[in-house]
Amino acid sequence: MPENYNSALWIGLLGTPLLIATGQVLFKLTSATAGEFGLRGLFQLLFNPLMITALAIYGIGTVIWIFVLKSVPLTIGYSFMALTFCFVPLLASIFLGEALSLRYFVGALLIIGGMIVINT
């Protein structure tokens, strides 16, 4: 990967997957308060503060991602989205108490290794 990427771009490359992962955890928390599928349940979901926050975080991540893609080729930028597969289980462990297994750590290492291969 070119060395002339500035710190704001690196924050975007790493921060966007983190924002998406955070949104996923908030969606999971939202699901615990969601009612039945139907008009009333959908209406309640639309005004659920966790849902609104999750959508806002996704929106912010999307806007940041657009500016990231302005500066890097899609083939480089998109590989960083694989980090969501590392961040979601990690955040789920921290905020939801979900267990992390050896498979998670091996998978995360494979993802990061793949990113290194793709981007060098």
Side-chain angles (χ1 to χ4, degrees):
M1 180 175 287
E3 296 176 13
N4 61 349
Y5 288 170
N6 63 34
S7 59
L9 184 58
W10 280 109
I11 291 169
L13 284 168
L14 298 172
T16 299
L18 186 58
L19 288 170
I20 298 301
T22 302
Q24 288 296 324
V25 170
L26 290 172
F27 284 142
K28 175 66 175 174
L29 290 170
T30 300
S31 72
T33 63
E36 294 297 317
F37 185 74
L39 191 56
R40 184 176 184 185
L42 290 173
F43 184 76
Q44 289 174 338
L45 192 60
L46 288 174
F47 293 99
N48 184 313
L50 289 172
M51 178 71 160
I52 293 168
T53 303
L55 290 172
I57 288 172
Y58 256 74
I60 291 166
T62 300
V63 170
I64 292 169
W65 191 242
I66 289 168
F67 285 101
V68 167
L69 291 179
K70 183 177 178 180
S71 303
V72 299
L74 185 59
T75 53
I76 290 175
Y78 196 70
S79 69
F80 279 81
M81 292 308 287
L83 288 174
T84 57
F85 292 106
C86 299
F87 291 152
V88 168
L90 185 61
L91 292 177
S93 174
I94 293 168
F95 295 106
L96 303 173
E98 294 184 9
L100 294 177
S101 66
L102 178 60
R103 287 187 319 183
Y104 162 77
F105 290 106
V106 171
L109 287 174
L110 288 171
I111 289 169
I112 293 167
M115 288 179 58
I116 291 169
V117 169
I118 289 170
N119 291 303
T120 55

